[in-house]
Coordinates of all heavy atoms in Angstrom, one line a residue:
I797 N 111.4 219.7 95.0 CA 112.2 220.8 95.4 C 113.6 220.7 94.9 O 114.2 221.7 94.5 CB 112.2 220.9 97.0 CG1 110.8 221.3 97.4 CG2 113.2 222.0 97.5 CD1 110.6 221.1 98.9
R798 N 114.2 219.5 95.0 CA 115.6 219.3 94.6 C 115.8 219.4 93.1 O 116.9 219.8 92.7 CB 116.0 217.9 95.0 CG 116.1 217.7 96.5 CD 116.4 216.3 96.9 NE 117.7 215.9 96.3 CZ 117.9 214.6 96.1 NH1 117.1 213.7 96.3 NH2 119.1 214.3 95.5
S799 N 114.8 219.1 92.3 CA 115.0 219.0 90.9 C 114.5 220.1 90.0 O 114.9 220.3 88.9 CB 114.5 217.7 90.4 OG 113.1 217.6 90.5
K800 N 113.5 220.9 90.5 CA 112.9 221.8 89.6 C 112.3 223.0 90.4 O 112.1 223.0 91.6 CB 111.8 221.2 88.7 CG 110.6 220.6 89.5 CD 109.7 219.9 88.6 CE 108.6 219.2 89.5 NZ 107.7 218.4 88.8
G801 N 112.0 224.0 89.6 CA 111.4 225.2 90.3 C 112.4 226.2 90.8 O 113.6 225.9 90.7
V802 N 111.9 227.3 91.3 CA 112.8 228.3 91.9 C 112.6 228.2 93.4 O 111.6 228.5 93.9 CB 112.4 229.7 91.4 CG1 113.2 230.8 92.0 CG2 112.5 229.7 89.9
H803 N 113.7 227.9 94.1 CA 113.7 227.8 95.5 C 115.0 228.4 96.0 O 116.0 228.4 95.3 CB 113.7 226.3 96.0 CG 112.5 225.6 95.5 ND1 111.3 225.7 96.2 CD2 112.2 224.7 94.5 CE1 110.3 225.0 95.6 NE2 110.9 224.4 94.6
Q804 N 115.0 228.9 97.2 CA 116.2 229.5 97.8 C 117.2 228.3 98.1 O 116.8 227.2 98.3 CB 115.8 230.1 99.1 CG 114.9 231.3 99.0 CD 114.6 232.0 100.3 OE1 115.2 231.7 101.3 NE2 113.7 233.0 100.2
A805 N 118.5 228.7 98.1 CA 119.5 227.7 98.2 C 119.4 226.9 99.5 O 119.6 225.7 99.6 CB 120.9 228.3 98.1
R806 N 119.0 227.6 100.6 CA 118.9 226.9 101.9 C 117.7 225.9 101.9 O 117.8 224.9 102.5 CB 118.8 227.9 103.0 CG 117.5 228.8 103.0 CD 117.5 229.7 104.3 NE 116.6 230.8 104.0 CZ 117.0 232.0 103.9 NH1 118.2 232.4 104.1 NH2 116.1 233.0 103.7
E807 N 116.7 226.2 101.1 CA 115.6 225.3 101.0 C 116.0 224.0 100.3 O 115.7 222.9 100.7 CB 114.4 225.9 100.3 CG 113.7 227.0 101.1 CD 112.7 227.8 100.4 OE1 112.5 227.6 99.1 OE2 112.0 228.6 101.0
V808 N 116.8 224.2 99.2 CA 117.3 223.1 98.5 C 118.2 222.2 99.3 O 118.1 221.0 99.3 CB 117.9 223.5 97.1 CG1 118.6 222.3 96.4 CG2 116.9 224.2 96.3
N809 N 119.1 222.9 100.1 CA 120.0 222.2 101.0 C 119.3 221.4 102.0 O 119.6 220.2 102.3 CB 121.0 223.1 101.7 CG 122.3 223.3 100.9 OD1 122.6 222.6 100.0 ND2 123.1 224.3 101.3
R810 N 118.2 222.0 102.6 CA 117.4 221.2 103.6 C 116.7 220.0 103.0 O 116.7 219.0 103.6 CB 116.4 222.2 104.2 CG 117.0 223.3 105.1 CD 116.0 224.2 105.5 NE 116.5 225.4 106.1 CZ 115.9 226.6 106.2 NH1 114.7 226.7 105.7 NH2 116.5 227.6 106.7
A811 N 116.3 220.2 101.7 CA 115.6 219.1 101.0 C 116.7 218.0 100.8 O 116.4 216.8 101.0 CB 115.0 219.5 99.7
H812 N 117.9 218.3 100.4 CA 119.0 217.4 100.2 C 119.3 216.6 101.6 O 119.4 215.4 101.6 CB 120.2 218.0 99.7 CG 120.2 218.4 98.3 ND1 120.0 217.5 97.3 CD2 120.5 219.6 97.7 CE1 120.1 218.1 96.1 NE2 120.3 219.3 96.3
V813 N 119.3 217.4 102.6 CA 119.6 216.8 104.0 C 118.5 215.8 104.3 O 118.8 214.6 104.7 CB 119.6 217.9 105.1 CG1 119.6 217.2 106.4 CG2 120.9 218.7 104.9
L814 N 117.2 216.1 104.1 CA 116.2 215.2 104.5 C 116.2 213.9 103.6 O 116.1 212.8 104.0 CB 114.8 215.8 104.3 CG 114.5 216.9 105.4 CD1 113.1 217.5 105.1 CD2 114.6 216.4 106.8
S815 N 116.5 214.1 102.3 CA 116.6 213.0 101.4 C 117.8 212.1 101.8 O 117.6 210.9 101.8 CB 116.9 213.5 100.0 OG 117.0 212.4 99.1
C816 N 118.9 212.6 102.2 CA 120.1 211.9 102.6 C 119.8 211.1 103.9 O 120.1 209.9 104.0 CB 121.3 212.7 102.7 SG 121.9 213.4 101.2
L817 N 119.2 211.8 104.8 CA 118.8 211.1 106.1 C 117.8 210.0 105.9 O 117.9 209.0 106.6 CB 118.2 212.2 107.1 CG 119.2 213.2 107.6 CD1 118.5 214.2 108.5 CD2 120.3 212.5 108.5
D818 N 116.9 210.2 105.0 CA 116.0 209.1 104.6 C 116.7 207.9 104.1 O 116.2 206.8 104.3 CB 114.9 209.6 103.6 CG 113.9 208.6 103.3 OD1 113.3 208.0 104.2 OD2 113.6 208.4 102.1
R819 N 117.8 208.1 103.4 CA 118.5 207.0 102.8 C 119.7 206.5 103.7 O 120.5 205.7 103.3 CB 119.1 207.4 101.4 CG 118.0 207.6 100.4 CD 118.5 208.0 99.1 NE 118.9 209.5 99.2 CZ 119.9 210.0 98.4 NH1 120.6 209.3 97.6 NH2 120.1 211.3 98.6
D820 N 119.6 206.9 105.0 CA 120.6 206.5 106.0 C 122.1 206.9 105.6 O 123.0 206.1 106.0 CB 120.5 205.0 106.3 CG 119.2 204.7 106.9 OD1 118.7 205.5 107.7 OD2 118.7 203.6 106.7
I821 N 122.3 208.0 105.0 CA 123.6 208.5 104.7 C 124.2 209.1 106.0 O 123.5 209.9 106.6 CB 123.6 209.4 103.5 CG1 123.2 208.7 102.2 CG2 125.0 210.1 103.3 CD1 123.0 209.6 101.0
P822 N 125.4 208.8 106.4 CA 125.9 209.4 107.6 C 126.0 210.9 107.6 O 126.3 211.5 106.5 CB 127.3 208.7 107.7 CG 127.3 207.5 106.8 CD 126.3 207.8 105.7
E823 N 125.8 211.5 108.7 CA 125.9 212.9 108.8 C 127.2 213.5 108.3 O 127.2 214.5 107.7 CB 125.7 213.4 110.3 CG 124.3 213.2 110.8 CD 124.2 213.6 112.3 OE1 125.2 214.1 112.9 OE2 123.1 213.5 112.8
S824 N 128.3 212.8 108.6 CA 129.6 213.3 108.2 C 129.7 213.4 106.7 O 130.2 214.4 106.1 CB 130.7 212.4 108.7 OG 130.5 211.1 108.2
E825 N 129.1 212.5 105.9 CA 129.1 212.6 104.5 C 128.2 213.7 104.0 O 128.5 214.4 103.0 CB 128.6 211.2 103.9 CG 129.7 210.1 103.9 CD 129.2 208.9 103.3 OE1 128.6 209.0 102.1 OE2 129.4 207.8 103.8
I826 N 127.0 213.8 104.6 CA 126.1 214.9 104.2 C 126.8 216.3 104.4 O 126.7 217.1 103.5 CB 124.8 214.9 105.1 CG1 124.1 213.6 104.8 CG2 123.9 216.1 104.8 CD1 122.9 213.3 105.8
M827 N 127.4 216.5 105.5 CA 128.1 217.7 105.8 C 129.2 218.0 104.8 O 129.4 219.1 104.3 CB 128.7 217.7 107.2 CG 127.6 217.7 108.3 SD 128.2 217.8 110.0 CE 129.5 216.5 110.0
A828 N 130.0 216.9 104.5 CA 131.1 217.1 103.5 C 130.7 217.5 102.1 O 131.2 218.4 101.5 CB 132.0 215.8 103.5
V829 N 129.6 216.8 101.7 CA 129.2 217.0 100.3 C 128.4 218.3 100.1 O 128.6 219.0 99.2 CB 128.3 215.8 99.8 CG1 127.6 216.1 98.5 CG2 129.1 214.5 99.7
L830 N 127.6 218.6 101.1 CA 126.8 219.9 101.0 C 127.5 221.1 101.5 O 127.1 222.2 101.3 CB 125.5 219.7 101.7 CG 124.5 218.7 101.2 CD1 123.2 218.6 102.0 CD2 124.1 219.0 99.7
G831 N 128.6 220.9 102.2 CA 129.4 222.0 102.8 C 128.6 222.7 103.9 O 128.7 224.0 103.9
I832 N 127.9 222.0 104.7 CA 127.1 222.6 105.8 C 127.7 222.0 107.1 O 128.4 221.0 107.1 CB 125.6 222.3 105.7 CG1 125.3 220.8 105.6 CG2 125.1 223.0 104.4 CD1 123.9 220.4 105.6
G833 N 127.3 222.6 108.2 CA 127.7 222.2 109.5 C 126.7 221.2 110.1 O 125.6 221.0 109.7
R834 N 127.2 220.5 111.2 CA 126.4 219.5 111.9 C 125.1 220.1 112.4 O 124.0 219.5 112.4 CB 127.2 219.0 113.0 CG 126.5 217.8 113.8 CD 127.4 217.2 114.8 NE 128.7 216.7 114.2 CZ 128.9 215.5 113.7 NH1 127.9 214.6 113.7 NH2 130.1 215.2 113.2
T835 N 125.1 221.4 112.8 CA 123.9 222.1 113.4 C 122.8 222.1 112.3 O 121.6 222.0 112.6 CB 124.2 223.5 113.9 OG1 125.3 223.3 114.9 CG2 123.0 224.1 114.5
A836 N 123.2 222.4 111.1 CA 122.2 222.5 110.0 C 121.5 221.1 109.8 O 120.3 221.1 109.6 CB 122.9 222.9 108.7
V837 N 122.3 220.1 109.9 CA 121.7 218.7 109.8 C 120.7 218.5 110.9 O 119.6 218.0 110.7 CB 122.8 217.7 109.7 CG1 122.2 216.3 109.7 CG2 123.7 217.9 108.5
W838 N 121.2 218.8 112.1 CA 120.4 218.5 113.3 C 119.1 219.3 113.3 O 118.0 218.8 113.6 CB 121.1 218.9 114.6 CG 122.3 218.0 114.9 CD1 122.5 216.7 114.4 CD2 123.3 218.2 115.9 NE1 123.6 216.2 114.9 CE2 124.1 217.0 115.8 CE3 123.6 219.2 116.7 CZ2 125.2 216.9 116.7 CZ3 124.7 219.1 117.5 CH2 125.5 217.9 117.5

C-alpha cells in the first residue's frame, strides 16, 4: 500500500501509521512527520 498502486491518501497515511507503530516509533514523531493528529493515530 505504501509503495505502489493507486490508493487514497488517507489509506496510505493509515498504512504509514501502522508501519510506524509496528516499529515502536513514538506517536509524537508519527504525528509530526505525517502531519496528522493524535486521534488519527489512535
Side-chain angles (χ1 to χ4, degrees):
I797 294 167
R798 292 174 58 207
S799 64
K800 60 186 176 185
V802 177
H803 299 282
Q804 294 181 9
R806 65 177 160 245
E807 293 172 350
V808 175
N809 267 350
R810 291 173 191 157
H812 283 305
V813 168
L814 292 178
S815 178
C816 291
L817 291 173
D818 183 49
R819 292 180 284 151
D820 294 325
I821 296 174
E823 288 180 3
S824 58
E825 286 184 41
I826 297 169
M827 293 182 311
V829 171
L830 295 178
I832 59 174
R834 186 173 305 270
T835 304
V837 175
W838 289 348

